[in-house]
Amino acid sequence: MISKDKVTEIFCSIDDFCLVFEPALEKRQLSTGKETRKRKFTMSASEIVTITVLFHLSGVRTFKHFYIGYVQKHLGQEFPNTVSYNRFVALMQSNILPLTLYMKTCCLGECTGISFIDTAPIRACKNKRIAQNKVFKDIANVGKSTMGWFYGFKLHIIVNDKGELLDFIITHANVDDRTPLKEDNFLKKIFGSLYADKGYISKELSCLLFDQGLHLVTGIRNNMKNVMMTMRDKILLRKRSVIETINDQLKNIAQAERSRHRSFGNFITNLVASLIAYSFQERKPSIKFETENTAQLALFC
């Protein structure tokens, strides 16, 4: 299971963020004319967010077993004022705002000039249960990936060569993989070279990103003409498997993809918490790439 030192590290990081977030949120809340709750909750927002993230690092498949069998029994000193399981699930979904802002402000890495992008399908349920699914009715839809048809959403992530998440976005399953790249906010902090698979091939998109100072590098299809590229780009394009490894860890270790959601809020909470849990992994998939200054000329076409 998770060491006590790791629990303390995660809690301190989240608590420092909440100490700044909560006063700032109170100043920006609009007055509705109704009486607001003045009594403090039994558990603080930092405790709730920490436990939510710890679940995705624990390896336990069900949150109920994790909360009742591990948190309440073995983490009593760290979390002395735990509430009932049903109450905690409600509190967990109500803290989606600090959870998401913490992910966006404290868990993202810095761009190094070498970035990789990929899209992972997030299935809401198995295909044979699509007609019976009521949780995501009129929210999720059917899309297609390299593994076939699925029902749910798409997770678009950008990582650097160190395996750190640079940004992410969630879209419907039928959205084209290249659509998020046309939004300025998604690539606001990305520069240098962006390596992608053949699904991102688009002359219009390449020109658009080039005008923004970003070089999109993809492979070529069999029916396309060969293009000249530097040896650096050829090597890094082969290293694109690092982001596929990250997607695999997000699904199988951090449990970003689950089929036991009871509401859309629960789905978003667990998905964002899995991304935070990945950022706390000590060893992330990465590549070692060293550049050497030479007098050789590089050919571009």
Side-chain angles (χ1 to χ4, degrees):
M1 295 299 287
I2 310 168
S3 64
K4 297 295 181 67
D5 293 338
K6 193 67 175 179
V7 174
T8 303
E9 175 192 349
I10 296 174
F11 174 78
C12 291
S13 176
I14 295 175
D15 190 54
D16 291 341
F17 168 79
C18 289
L19 290 176
V20 178
F21 166 76
E22 291 177 349
L25 180 63
E26 292 179 358
K27 292 180 180 180
R28 287 167 173 78
Q29 286 181 336
L30 298 176
S31 176
T32 59
K34 299 180 180 180
E35 293 184 1
T36 57
R37 178 190 175 102
K38 296 182 180 180
R39 182 170 58 90
K40 293 184 178 180
F41 290 99
T42 304
M43 298 186 68
S44 63
S46 54
E47 290 178 314
I48 297 170
V49 173
T50 301
I51 293 176
T52 306
V53 174
L54 290 177
F55 165 66
H56 293 274
L57 285 172
S58 64
V60 181
R61 304 305 297 179
T62 58
F63 182 77
K64 187 174 184 179
H65 293 160
F66 168 76
Y67 184 75
I68 298 176
Y70 179 67
V71 175
Q72 292 186 330
K73 288 186 178 180
H74 301 284
L75 296 180
Q77 295 181 351
E78 287 77 8
F79 306 101
N81 300 319
T82 56
V83 296
S84 65
Y85 167 74
N86 292 333
R87 178 57 179 161
F88 185 87
V89 172
L91 292 174
M92 182 173 63
Q93 296 184 39
S94 64
N95 283 274
I96 181 61
L97 180 59
L99 187 76
T100 305
L101 291 178
Y102 175 74
M103 173 64 202
K104 285 285 189 177
T105 57
C106 302
C107 298
L108 298 180
E110 295 183 359
C111 183
T112 60
I114 301 175
S115 306
F116 302 91
I117 186 171
D118 197 17
T119 303
I122 304 297
R123 295 171 176 83
C125 66
K126 294 183 179 180
N127 290 346
K128 61 182 180 181
R129 296 197 179 102
I130 294 178
Q132 303 173 1
N133 189 287
K134 297 180 181 180
V135 176
F136 297 97
K137 185 178 181 180
D138 300 328
I139 300 177
N141 52 26
V142 178
K144 189 176 183 181
S145 67
T146 54
M147 302 300 293
W149 295 95
F150 70 97
Y151 177 76
F153 305 88
K154 282 183 178 181
L155 174 64
H156 309 260
I157 61 172
I158 302 178
V159 303
N160 58 17
D161 55 335
K162 301 177 182 178
E164 299 172 337
L165 292 173
L166 300 180
D167 209 343
F168 71 96
I169 190 172
I170 304 168
T171 64
H172 286 96
N174 59 355
V175 174
D176 191 279
D177 294 349
R178 295 165 290 190
T179 301
L181 294 180
K182 299 177 183 180
E183 299 181 7
D184 296 335
N185 292 335
F186 191 45
L187 299 175
K188 188 175 182 180
K189 298 180 181 180
I190 310 301
F191 60 88
S193 300
L194 181 63
Y195 298 89
D197 59 18
K198 298 177 183 179
Y200 290 85
I201 295 177
S202 172
K203 183 177 180 181
E204 178 185 357
L205 180 61
S206 298
C207 295
L208 177 65
L209 297 181
F210 186 80
D211 293 339
Q212 300 175 5
L214 188 61
H215 182 207
L216 179 64
V217 183
T218 63
I220 59 173
R221 298 191 178 97
N222 294 332
N223 59 350
M224 294 176 59
K225 294 182 179 180
N226 194 12
V227 295
M228 296 290 294
M229 68 173 61
T230 62
M231 184 60 65
R232 174 182 182 271
D233 289 340
K234 288 184 178 180
I235 295 174
L236 289 175
L237 197 59
R238 295 175 183 175
K239 298 293 183 179
R240 206 192 61 83
S241 58
V242 66
I243 194 172
E244 297 176 355
T245 304
I246 293 174
N247 279 328
D248 181 72
Q249 291 189 2
L250 286 173
K251 288 186 176 182
N252 298 320
I253 298 179
Q255 301 187 57
E257 183 182 75
R258 303 172 64 205
S259 60
R260 294 181 291 275
H261 299 293
R262 295 295 177 265
S263 66
F264 181 73
N266 181 265
F267 163 76
I268 294 294
T269 301
N270 282 276
L271 181 56
V272 176
S274 66
L275 298 175
I276 298 175
Y278 169 79
S279 68
F280 278 105
Q281 288 186 9
E282 296 181 358
R283 299 183 62 182
K284 299 181 178 66
S286 59
I287 61 174
K288 294 182 179 180
F289 185 79
E290 298 180 357
T291 58
E292 182 179 354
N293 295 325
T294 64
Q296 293 180 335
L297 295 176
L299 296 178
F300 295 90
C301 182

